Amino acid sequence: MPGTADKILQSILSSISQVADSRDIETLLMQFSRMAHELVPADRCTVWVFDKERNILWSRVADGIGRIESSAEEGLVGYVLKSGEPVILNDVYADSRFNPEVDRRTGYLTRNMISIPLKNSDGDILGVFQSVNKLGNIDFLEEDLKLLLFVTVYIGREIDAALLRDELDATQREIIYTLAEAAEMRSQEMGNHVKRVSEYCRLIAELIGLSEKDQELIKVASPLHDLGKIAIPDAILLKPGRLTDEERILMNTHAELGYSMLKHSNRRAFKAAATIAYEHHEKWDGTGYPNKIAGKDIHIFGRISAVADVYDALANARCYKPAWEHERVIALFQEERGRHFDPQIVDAFLENQERFFEINRTFADAHPID
Ligand code: C2E
Ligand code: SIN
Ligand code: SIN
Ligand code: SIN
Ligand code: FE
Ligand code: FE
């Protein structure tokens, strides 16, 4: 069948670009169901999301009335959730693993189905995808499974990112921004520094191919990188000129201080923020602070935020220095590639410098000091 592969690819690409714009999990699930339906026409596609705390799976039936739920211990969904292996069943009522309860409640008659576990990039199982009642009254084949496996990789990844967005609820974001602003108020000249660093961090994470989940995580957590500056006296923090050696030593404690303030939380965003606060002044060659760790011993979030933080400090005016010309900033990053900074990250930065420049312009400080 010439052209079929093209059509499939096209439908996947158009669905993925739709998905990329979508921000809420239920809309995402609907779009994935549509995508799966294009690949393997079936009467119904169901994406079951595992709710660990309640030990249930929930799903939204297309055009249905709200969510349906199923115990995580029962049925094929329960089986696939536990085993982590896909199952093709062409006569579900002949298989004892099938739970007719959902049919009974929805008034639907399930004939055959493919059930596939949904995993994130770490291999954790997040839910189960089911394609139900293949159209044309025919059996599901191994080929159908292969096609659907392709889509379910995306579904797993997107659900993971969406769950993180849900987990980082408004309250948590508010706390993070409140803390970040408190730190910023201590040095008023910093203006939009925190906002810009957060945007550069997300962009770098995207450019070097981190997962959507990690892009979102570093974006949310990086505003707290300088939280420890809350504890630095004004006389040092706001000093117009160069710091003395003694002042420098005190200033440098902000990395460890920020870490100490954040490390007790078990929440994902605060754990990431603690790491970033701790490691954003470490250097690739091991000459940074506070622990002089080097290379990939520095967490990827620490390496990313180092580039983002220094770019912002150079491209904008500080109480102790004027803004640098763009060319001078670029020259420094070329010079420090593999010294201060992870070379892979510098390359991503250099190749996309206009995008960083653009962020810097978009979130320019209202009252630049020079
Ligand atoms: P910051 O202003 O956010 O700067 C972050 C980092 O950008 C600095 O980390 C440094 O790596 C880089 N950076 C900033 N300005 C320059 C520069 O003129 N030349 C070069 N080569 N790199 C620069 P660092 O050095 O660990 O400083 C941490 C924080 O200490 C700074 O955060 C700032 O708040 C403070 N600080 C550093 N130097 C001075 C200073 O001379 N005077 C005052 N008042 N504060 C300073
Ligand atoms: C099952 O997985 O056993 C039942 C789920 C369904 O009918 O959709
Ligand atoms: C400065 O000298 O203005 C601070 C930057 C640095 O010490 O690297
Ligand atoms: C990555 O995950 O792409 C980078 C990992 C690393 O540099 O440690
Ligand atoms: Fe810092
Ligand atoms: Fe900073």
Side-chain angles (χ1 to χ4, degrees):
M1 271 197 291
T4 303
D6 275 5
K7 244 179 78 186
I8 289 174
L9 205 63
Q10 245 169 35
S11 96
I12 290 175
L13 290 178
S14 83
S15 304
I16 287 174
S17 59
Q18 275 178 40
V19 164
D21 291 340
S22 178
R23 289 277 122 175
D24 93 272
I25 188 161
E26 300 202 353
T27 313
L28 276 173
L29 297 187
M30 299 279 206
Q31 285 169 351
F32 277 120
S33 295
R34 216 172 298 140
M35 193 193 309
H37 190 270
E38 299 264 346
L39 284 175
V40 178
D43 189 52
R44 174 184 284 181
C45 293
T46 313
V47 177
W48 294 93
V49 180
F50 181 37
D51 181 338
K52 240 189 218 157
E53 262 158 44
R54 297 171 59 211
N55 201 33
I56 55 134
L57 291 132
W58 63 265
S59 171
R60 190 175 189 102
V61 183
D63 311 319
I65 329 139
R67 292 178 173 194
I68 51 168
E69 295 185 353
S70 177
S71 158
E73 305 293 333
E74 285 177 280
L76 270 168
V77 277
Y79 175 80
V80 171
L81 188 75
K82 285 244 154 54
S83 71
E85 299 296 333
V87 173
I88 303 178
L89 274 189
N90 278 309
D91 180 5
V92 292
Y93 277 86
D95 193 293
S96 61
R97 290 171 297 186
F98 177 72
N99 174 17
E101 184 60 22
V102 175
D103 272 7
R104 204 186 53 73
R105 265 184 289 147
T106 57
Y108 188 81
L109 183 64
T110 304
R111 183 166 44 83
N112 55 10
M113 67 163 68
I114 290 186
S115 307
I116 303 173
L118 298 171
K119 302 179 186 179
N120 66 12
S121 48
D122 299 333
D124 305 324
I125 299 180
L126 306 171
V128 176
F129 171 86
Q130 289 185 321
S131 178
V132 181
N133 288 357
K134 182 152 172 189
L135 291 186
N137 230 353
I138 48 175
D139 283 356
F140 281 112
L141 307 171
E142 282 293 330
E143 281 96 287
D144 297 330
L145 173 59
K146 276 186 199 144
L147 283 173
L148 290 173
L149 279 172
F150 187 74
V151 184
T152 51
V153 170
Y154 285 101
I155 304 183
R157 240 166 40 190
E158 291 292 337
I159 288 180
D160 204 30
L163 288 175
L164 176 68
R165 289 192 289 266
D166 284 1
E167 182 188 319
L168 295 170
D169 59 23
T171 317
Q172 214 179 137
R173 283 171 196 273
E174 219 167 89
I175 293 169
I176 288 177
Y177 267 93
T178 307
L179 285 173
E181 262 171 35
E184 260 198 2
M185 273 168 56
R186 291 296 326 287
S187 54
Q188 289 139 17
E189 291 86 350
M190 284 169 72
N192 279 325
H193 173 56
V194 155
K195 175 77 190 151
R196 290 187 302 258
V197 167
S198 161
E199 294 293 331
Y200 307 135
C201 281
R202 197 214 58 79
L203 174 58
I204 294 170
E206 178 196 321
L207 293 173
I208 65 170
L210 297 194
S211 68
E212 261 211 43
K213 180 178 89 174
D214 283 344
Q215 293 172 33
E216 179 74 8
L217 192 53
I218 195 170
K219 177 180 170 179
V220 170
S222 56
L224 292 179
H225 71 276
D226 277 336
L227 180 64
K229 284 185 182 174
I230 279 185
I232 305 297
D234 276 353
I236 297 175
L237 194 65
L238 304 180
K239 181 176 174 176
R242 265 194 97 76
L243 302 177
T244 66
D245 289 353
E246 248 169 68
E247 290 168 336
R248 198 22 129 122
I249 289 166
L250 203 70
M251 173 60 89
N252 288 3
T253 61
H254 81 276
E256 182 143 21
L257 279 170
Y259 171 68
S260 304
M261 291 185 229
L262 293 162
K263 69 179 179 192
H264 302 291
S265 173
N266 277 323
R267 308 223 60 140
R268 198 147 41 151
F270 286 97
K271 282 184 155 174
T275 301
I276 292 168
Y278 209 19
E279 300 188 3
H280 74 283
H281 289 295
E282 298 290 357
K283 295 186 179 181
W284 181 257
D285 64 7
T287 63
Y289 63 90
N291 290 316
K292 297 196 186 314
I293 49 176
K296 294 198 173 181
D297 286 346
I298 308 166
H299 190 279
I300 186 72
F301 286 180
R303 283 177 270 148
I304 292 173
S305 52
V307 170
D309 187 33
V310 173
Y311 173 69
D312 199 66
L314 299 179
N316 296 281
R318 286 284 198 272
C319 63
Y320 59 92
K321 60 167 275 300
W324 287 14
E325 294 294 328
H326 188 63
E327 291 68 30
R328 192 174 166 204
V329 176
I330 296 307
L332 179 126
F333 277 96
Q334 282 162 343
E335 175 80 14
E336 293 292 338
R337 181 185 183 281
R339 294 183 185 178
H340 188 156
F341 307 113
D342 180 344
Q344 182 205 355
I345 297 174
V346 171
D347 292 344
F349 166 74
L350 292 175
E351 279 159 29
N352 298 276
Q353 38 183 287
E354 326 73 46
R355 295 180 68 182
F356 290 80
F357 196 55
E358 186 54 39
I359 292 171
N360 194 42
R361 211 168 23 210
T362 305
F363 301 105
D365 294 323
H367 305 288
I369 37 174
D370 61 341

